[in-house]
Amino acid sequence: MTAAVAVLSGCGAKEVSASAVEQSVRDGMTTQGVEVQSVSCPSGVAADVDATVVCAVQLWDEGALGEPVDRVRVVVTSVDGDQVRYRLEPLAVGVPDDAEATPDDAEATPDDAEATPDDAEATPDDANA
């Protein structure tokens, strides 16, 4: 759906904190015109390509994405120094967390708004050292 960026902070940080991922989900969904009421990630996401975490979301408008969505899968697409880029894959109610994403759901294109490091910075308190 959209691409997002988080910045690792802290000595030897190898994970984007849950709070930084949650903020990136909010920012990325908002960029696509979808207002998020709440987002909760059970953990951060490792700074490794293809690492994932599934976060629970509650949208203000349940039909904003064409069908009710209750989770967003965050998939790391690249790691460049301290910048971790990932895509957001909305998951419809009842769809398993590990379901394959469809191209319409998952592909971030250059036209997609991309979060900047300022939008999704992880602070030393947020990142695992």
mmCIF file of all heavy atoms in Angstrom, residues 67-96:
data_model
loop_
_atom_site.group_PDB
_atom_site.id
_atom_site.type_symbol
_atom_site.label_atom_id
_atom_site.label_comp_id
_atom_site.label_asym_id
_atom_site.label_seq_id
_atom_site.Cartn_x
_atom_site.Cartn_y
_atom_site.Cartn_z
ATOM 1 N N GLU A 67 -12.944 -2.706 2.207
ATOM 2 C CA GLU A 67 -13.405 -3.804 3.052
ATOM 3 C C GLU A 67 -12.858 -3.573 4.450
ATOM 4 O O GLU A 67 -11.860 -2.884 4.621
ATOM 5 C CB GLU A 67 -12.960 -5.155 2.496
ATOM 6 C CG GLU A 67 -11.453 -5.309 2.367
ATOM 7 C CD GLU A 67 -11.075 -6.593 1.628
ATOM 8 O OE1 GLU A 67 -11.751 -7.618 1.804
ATOM 9 O OE2 GLU A 67 -10.109 -6.544 0.876
ATOM 10 N N PRO A 68 -13.517 -4.126 5.462
ATOM 11 C CA PRO A 68 -13.033 -3.929 6.832
ATOM 12 C C PRO A 68 -11.622 -4.504 7.016
ATOM 13 O O PRO A 68 -11.334 -5.633 6.648
ATOM 14 C CB PRO A 68 -14.042 -4.687 7.689
ATOM 15 C CG PRO A 68 -15.263 -4.808 6.848
ATOM 16 C CD PRO A 68 -14.761 -4.890 5.425
ATOM 17 N N VAL A 69 -10.738 -3.704 7.570
ATOM 18 C CA VAL A 69 -9.344 -4.078 7.836
ATOM 19 C C VAL A 69 -9.118 -3.971 9.330
ATOM 20 O O VAL A 69 -9.489 -2.976 9.946
ATOM 21 C CB VAL A 69 -8.377 -3.149 7.055
ATOM 22 C CG1 VAL A 69 -6.955 -3.332 7.511
ATOM 23 C CG2 VAL A 69 -8.505 -3.391 5.558
ATOM 24 N N ASP A 70 -8.501 -5.016 9.922
ATOM 25 C CA ASP A 70 -8.237 -4.959 11.362
ATOM 26 C C ASP A 70 -6.756 -5.123 11.702
ATOM 27 O O ASP A 70 -6.366 -5.053 12.861
ATOM 28 C CB ASP A 70 -9.072 -5.978 12.123
ATOM 29 C CG ASP A 70 -8.772 -7.428 11.746
ATOM 30 O OD1 ASP A 70 -7.985 -7.669 10.798
ATOM 31 O OD2 ASP A 70 -9.338 -8.330 12.393
ATOM 32 N N ARG A 71 -5.914 -5.361 10.682
ATOM 33 C CA ARG A 71 -4.473 -5.504 10.906
ATOM 34 C C ARG A 71 -3.705 -4.959 9.711
ATOM 35 O O ARG A 71 -4.229 -4.886 8.611
ATOM 36 C CB ARG A 71 -4.099 -6.986 11.073
ATOM 37 C CG ARG A 71 -4.596 -7.604 12.361
ATOM 38 C CD ARG A 71 -4.782 -9.104 12.267
ATOM 39 N NE ARG A 71 -5.864 -9.352 11.312
ATOM 40 C CZ ARG A 71 -5.797 -10.215 10.300
ATOM 41 N NH1 ARG A 71 -4.744 -10.966 10.108
ATOM 42 N NH2 ARG A 71 -6.804 -10.351 9.465
ATOM 43 N N VAL A 72 -2.453 -4.622 9.967
ATOM 44 C CA VAL A 72 -1.536 -4.212 8.906
ATOM 45 C C VAL A 72 -0.249 -5.000 9.096
ATOM 46 O O VAL A 72 0.318 -5.008 10.191
ATOM 47 C CB VAL A 72 -1.238 -2.695 8.953
ATOM 48 C CG1 VAL A 72 -0.136 -2.333 7.971
ATOM 49 C CG2 VAL A 72 -2.491 -1.892 8.668
ATOM 50 N N ARG A 73 0.167 -5.678 8.030
ATOM 51 C CA ARG A 73 1.454 -6.386 8.070
ATOM 52 C C ARG A 73 2.513 -5.390 7.598
ATOM 53 O O ARG A 73 2.383 -4.761 6.560
ATOM 54 C CB ARG A 73 1.404 -7.615 7.162
ATOM 55 C CG ARG A 73 2.699 -8.397 7.167
ATOM 56 C CD ARG A 73 2.614 -9.717 6.421
ATOM 57 N NE ARG A 73 1.832 -9.617 5.204
ATOM 58 C CZ ARG A 73 0.971 -10.550 4.784
ATOM 59 N NH1 ARG A 73 0.784 -11.650 5.464
ATOM 60 N NH2 ARG A 73 0.303 -10.383 3.663
ATOM 61 N N VAL A 74 3.571 -5.262 8.387
ATOM 62 C CA VAL A 74 4.701 -4.386 8.073
ATOM 63 C C VAL A 74 5.832 -5.298 7.599
ATOM 64 O O VAL A 74 6.243 -6.196 8.334
ATOM 65 C CB VAL A 74 5.127 -3.581 9.321
ATOM 66 C CG1 VAL A 74 6.339 -2.713 9.021
ATOM 67 C CG2 VAL A 74 3.957 -2.741 9.840
ATOM 68 N N VAL A 75 6.327 -5.076 6.368
ATOM 69 C CA VAL A 75 7.350 -5.923 5.774
ATOM 70 C C VAL A 75 8.566 -5.054 5.425
ATOM 71 O O VAL A 75 8.443 -4.091 4.667
ATOM 72 C CB VAL A 75 6.849 -6.617 4.489
ATOM 73 C CG1 VAL A 75 7.929 -7.530 3.913
ATOM 74 C CG2 VAL A 75 5.565 -7.397 4.758
ATOM 75 N N VAL A 76 9.724 -5.395 5.984
ATOM 76 C CA VAL A 76 10.952 -4.642 5.700
ATOM 77 C C VAL A 76 11.356 -4.916 4.253
ATOM 78 O O VAL A 76 11.481 -6.071 3.842
ATOM 79 C CB VAL A 76 12.091 -5.040 6.665
ATOM 80 C CG1 VAL A 76 13.394 -4.345 6.278
ATOM 81 C CG2 VAL A 76 11.708 -4.702 8.101
ATOM 82 N N THR A 77 11.556 -3.840 3.482
ATOM 83 C CA THR A 77 11.932 -3.970 2.073
ATOM 84 C C THR A 77 13.394 -3.661 1.829
ATOM 85 O O THR A 77 13.973 -4.141 0.860
ATOM 86 C CB THR A 77 11.065 -3.068 1.181
ATOM 87 O OG1 THR A 77 11.199 -1.711 1.621
ATOM 88 C CG2 THR A 77 9.603 -3.503 1.236
ATOM 89 N N SER A 78 14.003 -2.824 2.685
ATOM 90 C CA SER A 78 15.430 -2.535 2.532
ATOM 91 C C SER A 78 15.983 -1.941 3.822
ATOM 92 O O SER A 78 15.255 -1.350 4.617
ATOM 93 C CB SER A 78 15.697 -1.589 1.361
ATOM 94 O OG SER A 78 15.231 -0.284 1.654
ATOM 95 N N VAL A 79 17.279 -2.136 4.001
ATOM 96 C CA VAL A 79 17.992 -1.557 5.131
ATOM 97 C C VAL A 79 19.230 -0.890 4.558
ATOM 98 O O VAL A 79 20.022 -1.530 3.870
ATOM 99 C CB VAL A 79 18.396 -2.634 6.168
ATOM 100 C CG1 VAL A 79 19.167 -2.004 7.324
ATOM 101 C CG2 VAL A 79 17.171 -3.380 6.672
ATOM 102 N N ASP A 80 19.368 0.404 4.815
ATOM 103 C CA ASP A 80 20.506 1.165 4.304
ATOM 104 C C ASP A 80 21.088 1.959 5.467
ATOM 105 O O ASP A 80 20.552 2.996 5.829
ATOM 106 C CB ASP A 80 20.061 2.086 3.173
ATOM 107 C CG ASP A 80 21.219 2.845 2.542
ATOM 108 O OD1 ASP A 80 22.394 2.475 2.775
ATOM 109 O OD2 ASP A 80 20.950 3.814 1.809
ATOM 110 N N GLY A 81 22.144 1.433 6.054
ATOM 111 C CA GLY A 81 22.720 2.081 7.236
ATOM 112 C C GLY A 81 21.714 2.047 8.360
ATOM 113 O O GLY A 81 21.264 0.985 8.781
ATOM 114 N N ASP A 82 21.323 3.238 8.829
ATOM 115 C CA ASP A 82 20.359 3.299 9.932
ATOM 116 C C ASP A 82 18.927 3.527 9.450
ATOM 117 O O ASP A 82 18.027 3.730 10.248
ATOM 118 C CB ASP A 82 20.769 4.360 10.943
ATOM 119 C CG ASP A 82 20.705 5.777 10.384
ATOM 120 O OD1 ASP A 82 20.555 5.933 9.156
ATOM 121 O OD2 ASP A 82 20.799 6.728 11.174
ATOM 122 N N GLN A 83 18.691 3.494 8.128
ATOM 123 C CA GLN A 83 17.341 3.663 7.598
ATOM 124 C C GLN A 83 16.740 2.312 7.219
ATOM 125 O O GLN A 83 17.355 1.531 6.498
ATOM 126 C CB GLN A 83 17.347 4.574 6.369
ATOM 127 C CG GLN A 83 17.641 6.010 6.703
ATOM 128 C CD GLN A 83 17.312 6.927 5.548
ATOM 129 O OE1 GLN A 83 17.140 6.492 4.419
ATOM 130 N NE2 GLN A 83 17.236 8.202 5.823
ATOM 131 N N VAL A 84 15.548 2.078 7.726
ATOM 132 C CA VAL A 84 14.818 0.848 7.440
ATOM 133 C C VAL A 84 13.551 1.253 6.690
ATOM 134 O O VAL A 84 12.767 2.055 7.175
ATOM 135 C CB VAL A 84 14.460 0.093 8.732
ATOM 136 C CG1 VAL A 84 13.663 -1.164 8.422
ATOM 137 C CG2 VAL A 84 15.718 -0.237 9.520
ATOM 138 N N ARG A 85 13.380 0.692 5.501
ATOM 139 C CA ARG A 85 12.197 0.979 4.691
ATOM 140 C C ARG A 85 11.314 -0.253 4.697
ATOM 141 O O ARG A 85 11.797 -1.373 4.656
ATOM 142 C CB ARG A 85 12.589 1.316 3.252
ATOM 143 C CG ARG A 85 13.397 2.571 3.137
ATOM 144 C CD ARG A 85 13.761 2.853 1.678
ATOM 145 N NE ARG A 85 14.640 3.991 1.580
ATOM 146 C CZ ARG A 85 14.243 5.256 1.567
ATOM 147 N NH1 ARG A 85 12.959 5.522 1.637
ATOM 148 N NH2 ARG A 85 15.106 6.237 1.501
ATOM 149 N N TYR A 86 10.004 0.000 4.734
ATOM 150 C CA TYR A 86 9.084 -1.112 4.702
ATOM 151 C C TYR A 86 7.790 -0.727 4.017
ATOM 152 O O TYR A 86 7.521 0.448 3.810
ATOM 153 C CB TYR A 86 8.804 -1.695 6.082
ATOM 154 C CG TYR A 86 8.726 -0.715 7.223
ATOM 155 C CD1 TYR A 86 7.587 0.028 7.463
ATOM 156 C CD2 TYR A 86 9.802 -0.551 8.083
ATOM 157 C CE1 TYR A 86 7.519 0.907 8.530
ATOM 158 C CE2 TYR A 86 9.745 0.319 9.156
ATOM 159 C CZ TYR A 86 8.593 1.049 9.369
ATOM 160 O OH TYR A 86 8.533 1.915 10.422
ATOM 161 N N ARG A 87 7.029 -1.747 3.630
ATOM 162 C CA ARG A 87 5.719 -1.517 3.037
ATOM 163 C C ARG A 87 4.661 -1.974 4.024
ATOM 164 O O ARG A 87 4.916 -2.832 4.874
ATOM 165 C CB ARG A 87 5.580 -2.216 1.690
ATOM 166 C CG ARG A 87 5.452 -3.706 1.754
ATOM 167 C CD ARG A 87 5.235 -4.336 0.371
ATOM 168 N NE ARG A 87 5.218 -5.776 0.503
ATOM 169 C CZ ARG A 87 6.271 -6.565 0.326
ATOM 170 N NH1 ARG A 87 7.433 -6.045 -0.021
ATOM 171 N NH2 ARG A 87 6.171 -7.864 0.498
ATOM 172 N N LEU A 88 3.485 -1.392 3.868
ATOM 173 C CA LEU A 88 2.357 -1.712 4.727
ATOM 174 C C LEU A 88 1.346 -2.502 3.910
ATOM 175 O O LEU A 88 0.961 -2.082 2.824
ATOM 176 C CB LEU A 88 1.715 -0.428 5.249
ATOM 177 C CG LEU A 88 2.663 0.548 5.948
ATOM 178 C CD1 LEU A 88 1.901 1.806 6.364
ATOM 179 C CD2 LEU A 88 3.343 -0.092 7.136
ATOM 180 N N GLU A 89 0.936 -3.649 4.425
ATOM 181 C CA GLU A 89 -0.028 -4.507 3.753
ATOM 182 C C GLU A 89 -1.268 -4.653 4.630
ATOM 183 O O GLU A 89 -1.263 -5.416 5.603
ATOM 184 C CB GLU A 89 0.577 -5.890 3.486
ATOM 185 C CG GLU A 89 1.807 -5.861 2.620
ATOM 186 C CD GLU A 89 2.480 -7.217 2.479
ATOM 187 O OE1 GLU A 89 2.041 -8.201 3.126
ATOM 188 O OE2 GLU A 89 3.449 -7.292 1.724
ATOM 189 N N PRO A 90 -2.342 -3.905 4.316
ATOM 190 C CA PRO A 90 -3.579 -4.036 5.095
ATOM 191 C C PRO A 90 -4.139 -5.451 4.976
ATOM 192 O O PRO A 90 -4.117 -6.049 3.899
ATOM 193 C CB PRO A 90 -4.526 -3.027 4.447
ATOM 194 C CG PRO A 90 -3.633 -2.078 3.715
ATOM 195 C CD PRO A 90 -2.456 -2.889 3.274
ATOM 196 N N LEU A 91 -4.616 -6.005 6.086
ATOM 197 C CA LEU A 91 -5.207 -7.347 6.111
ATOM 198 C C LEU A 91 -6.680 -7.234 6.492
ATOM 199 O O LEU A 91 -7.019 -6.693 7.547
ATOM 200 C CB LEU A 91 -4.467 -8.236 7.110
ATOM 201 C CG LEU A 91 -2.989 -8.501 6.789
ATOM 202 C CD1 LEU A 91 -2.304 -9.186 7.966
ATOM 203 C CD2 LEU A 91 -2.858 -9.329 5.527
ATOM 204 N N ALA A 92 -7.537 -7.761 5.630
ATOM 205 C CA ALA A 92 -8.974 -7.712 5.870
ATOM 206 C C ALA A 92 -9.342 -8.599 7.057
ATOM 207 O O ALA A 92 -8.651 -9.574 7.368
ATOM 208 C CB ALA A 92 -9.732 -8.160 4.627
ATOM 209 N N VAL A 93 -10.435 -8.250 7.702
ATOM 210 C CA VAL A 93 -10.951 -9.045 8.809
ATOM 211 C C VAL A 93 -11.124 -10.484 8.331
ATOM 212 O O VAL A 93 -11.661 -10.736 7.252
ATOM 213 C CB VAL A 93 -12.298 -8.470 9.302
ATOM 214 C CG1 VAL A 93 -12.947 -9.389 10.330
ATOM 215 C CG2 VAL A 93 -12.096 -7.073 9.871
ATOM 216 N N GLY A 94 -10.608 -11.448 9.103
ATOM 217 C CA GLY A 94 -10.746 -12.859 8.778
ATOM 218 C C GLY A 94 -9.628 -13.423 7.911
ATOM 219 O O GLY A 94 -9.513 -14.629 7.766
ATOM 220 N N VAL A 95 -8.794 -12.570 7.336
ATOM 221 C CA VAL A 95 -7.682 -13.043 6.511
ATOM 222 C C VAL A 95 -6.530 -13.408 7.453
ATOM 223 O O VAL A 95 -6.189 -12.636 8.346
ATOM 224 C CB VAL A 95 -7.228 -11.946 5.514
ATOM 225 C CG1 VAL A 95 -5.951 -12.346 4.801
ATOM 226 C CG2 VAL A 95 -8.331 -11.648 4.518
ATOM 227 N N PRO A 96 -5.924 -14.582 7.273
ATOM 228 C CA PRO A 96 -4.812 -14.986 8.153
ATOM 229 C C PRO A 96 -3.634 -14.005 8.063
ATOM 230 O O PRO A 96 -3.393 -13.410 7.012
ATOM 231 C CB PRO A 96 -4.407 -16.363 7.618
ATOM 232 C CG PRO A 96 -5.547 -16.832 6.790
ATOM 233 C CD PRO A 96 -6.244 -15.609 6.282
#
